[in-house]
Amino acid sequence: MSSTSVSPQALAINGGSPVRSTLLPYGRQSVDEADIQAVVEVLRSDWLTTGPKVGEFEEAFAARVGAAHAVSFSSGTAALHAAAFAAGLKSGDEAITTPLTFAATANCVLYQGAVPVFADVIGDTINLDPEQTKGKISPRTRAILPVDYAGHPGDLHSILEIARKHGLVVIEDACHALGAEYRGQRVGGIADMTVFSFHPVKHITTGEGGMVTTNHAQFAETLRRFRNHGISSDARQRQSAGQWHYEMVLLGFNYRLPDIVCALGIQQLKRLDANLARRREIAVQYTAAFREIPGVIPPTVRPEANPAWHLYPIRLDLEKLSADRAQIFRALRAENIGVNVHYIPVHLHPYYRDRFGYQGGEFPVAEDAYARLISLPMFHAMTDGDVRDVIAAASKVCEVYAR
Ligand SMILES: Cc1ncc(COP(=O)(O)O)c(C=O)c1O
């Protein structure tokens, strides 16, 4: 059901009829017949894993993002872990990142026995603040992990400048930002290493999956070894060379992405441009509408950025509303709009509070943003009717709760 009528309807949460009859999710994958055929073909082939589709996916991906190397992983989290390893993070080291991210960004630092040090975000893009980052550098700092929140590239120029000055490695968490551009350059070839995720809500999917791109051959080699137990050759290389001998040269994991889903990734990548175009179209429609709705602050886009719009996170202008975020969230859900919140700041999770003593209040900009954030549905298969429903529901709810 699609409707643009907004008022004076009663809210669904108060017994009125919802804007939609079925729930619109905040994100979801699109899988077509060609995707399915490509997977089936691999299932009938000799190589379900460590076969030719892995290299094919990696080469196509590297070419798409403009990086010299791409190394695939079983998830974005595994890819982050590998990047943290390749950056040389170890016990006694620190890495600076944003608290306004998925826990995996900070967790990868902990996997290496190092300590994630949070720096607050900047108010407009809610990405890592370079000035706050500078203030967190210590003799133990080895890396900086900016996150391209919602698909808007971080302040990469300033972060790289800081890193170069202090001899630090920049691992860009671009799990939201496949296809984003910064100063005309594609995300993926800018930082020392860039990490992507292929979770189903992302721009392309392999079910689970991730990638690290880099222009540094040494990082690429370490990343390949790390995902394969630390072994210096893979099974197919040994088979084609007629050799049994291999050497384990570092302590790695089995973080390989199988051919079955690399075939899916190859197919999905062909539709990336179309997916991005649709997401950008939706963002334009949303932003035009939300500028007119009191109580809603649409996301900022800086002139140097062309975001990939993984998410469309609005911030509530709570001063203009008589309800808090939780109430607005519940009201939108009742209208069958599948809203979400990205993210509970990492330092506020019980694990981080218990281990590092965070109590809240340490990162006021991130924490204030968190209190206002709601992610609205954003995925490339959304119809114009879906977009209208989201706008109708947001204006209906904000009108009722307007001060
Ligand atoms: C910012 C960020 N980093 C890392 C990850 C982890 O990726 P994955 O789910 O592929 O392990 C995600 C996943 O959603 C993410 O949003």
Side-chain angles (χ1 to χ4, degrees), residues 75-77 80 101-102 104-105 147 173 175-176 197-199 202 208-209 343:
S75 68
T77 303
L80 278 168
T101 185
F102 186 56
T105 317
V147 175
D173 182 339
C175 286
H176 295 184
S197 161
F198 308 131
H199 181 273
K202 302 297 193 316
E208 298 282 359
Y343 289 97

Side-chain angles (χ1 to χ4, degrees), residues 102-136:
F102 186 56
T105 317
N107 291 350
C108 76
V109 177
L110 292 177
Y111 297 159
Q112 283 304 111
V115 174
V117 172
F118 298 105
D120 210 346
V121 297
I122 204 150
D124 61 348
T125 60
I126 47 180
N127 275 322
L128 185 63
D129 183 340
E131 285 309 310
Q132 295 291 326
T133 301
K134 273 186 210 164
K136 295 296 174 98

Side-chain angles (χ1 to χ4, degrees), residues 68-89:
H69 312 274
V71 183
S72 59
F73 288 87
S74 51
S75 68
T77 303
L80 278 168
H81 185 188
F85 177 86
L89 276 172

Side-chain angles (χ1 to χ4, degrees), residues 36-301:
I36 294 166
Q37 279 315 311
V39 170
V40 169
E41 236 170 74
V42 174
L43 287 170
R44 295 203 168 101
S45 78
D46 290 339
W47 294 96
L48 300 189
T49 190
T50 68
K53 291 295 173 194
V54 180
E56 207 183 305
F57 184 33
E58 291 173 341
E59 276 172 34
F61 194 91
R64 177 59 182 79
V65 304
H69 312 274
V71 183
S72 59
F73 288 87
S74 51
S75 68
T77 303
L80 278 168
H81 185 188
F85 177 86
L89 276 172
K90 59 183 186 325
S91 173
D93 290 341
E94 293 174 354
I96 301 170
T97 192
T98 160
L100 207 62
T101 185
F102 186 56
T105 317
N107 291 350
C108 76
V109 177
L110 292 177
Y111 297 159
Q112 283 304 111
V115 174
V117 172
F118 298 105
D120 210 346
V121 297
I122 204 150
D124 61 348
T125 60
I126 47 180
N127 275 322
L128 185 63
D129 183 340
E131 285 309 310
Q132 295 291 326
T133 301
K134 273 186 210 164
K136 295 296 174 98
I137 289 173
S138 83
R140 295 178 295 283
T141 312
R142 183 177 281 269
I144 308 176
L145 288 93
V147 175
D148 303 326
Y149 177 79
H152 188 298
D155 197 342
L156 298 173
H157 180 80
S158 308
I159 301 279
L160 281 163
E161 205 170 70
I162 296 166
R164 296 296 168 259
K165 191 166 157 208
H166 295 272
L168 311 175
V169 179
V170 175
I171 302 169
E172 180 183 355
D173 182 339
C175 286
H176 295 184
L178 175 56
E181 290 162 352
Y182 173 82
R183 297 192 175 192
Q185 213 182 333
R186 291 174 175 187
V187 160
I190 303 172
D192 297 313
M193 285 179 272
T194 309
V195 176
F196 298 91
S197 161
F198 308 131
H199 181 273
V201 294
K202 302 297 193 316
H203 303 80
I204 67 168
T205 189
T206 58
E208 298 282 359
M211 193 78 83
V212 183
T213 59
T214 180
N215 289 323
H216 303 275
Q218 188 59 52
F219 284 148
E221 184 178 86
T222 304
L223 292 164
R224 284 183 203 289
R225 289 175 172 178
F226 189 76
R227 70 142 178 229
N228 189 33
H229 310 277
I231 292 171
S232 55
S233 62
D234 71 25
R236 201 158 61 100
Q237 285 168 342
R238 287 196 295 280
Q239 176 167 308
S240 57
Q243 278 185 1
W244 55 267
H245 182 261
Y246 64 84
E247 289 179 332
M248 189 199 122
V249 293
L250 54 85
L251 187 61
F253 290 78
N254 178 351
Y255 278 160
R256 298 183 301 247
L257 190 66
D259 284 58
I260 302 167
V261 292
C262 283
L264 178 57
I266 293 164
Q267 280 302 123
Q268 291 257 320
L269 196 58
K270 292 178 187 166
R271 295 201 299 282
L272 174 61
D273 284 328
N275 294 351
L276 285 164
R278 179 62 183 148
R279 284 171 182 265
R280 287 175 178 144
E281 214 168 67
I282 295 167
V284 167
Q285 289 176 34
Y286 271 169
T287 300
F290 295 137
R291 281 212 182 102
E292 307 302 321
I293 301 178
V296 174
I297 304 169
T300 310
V301 177

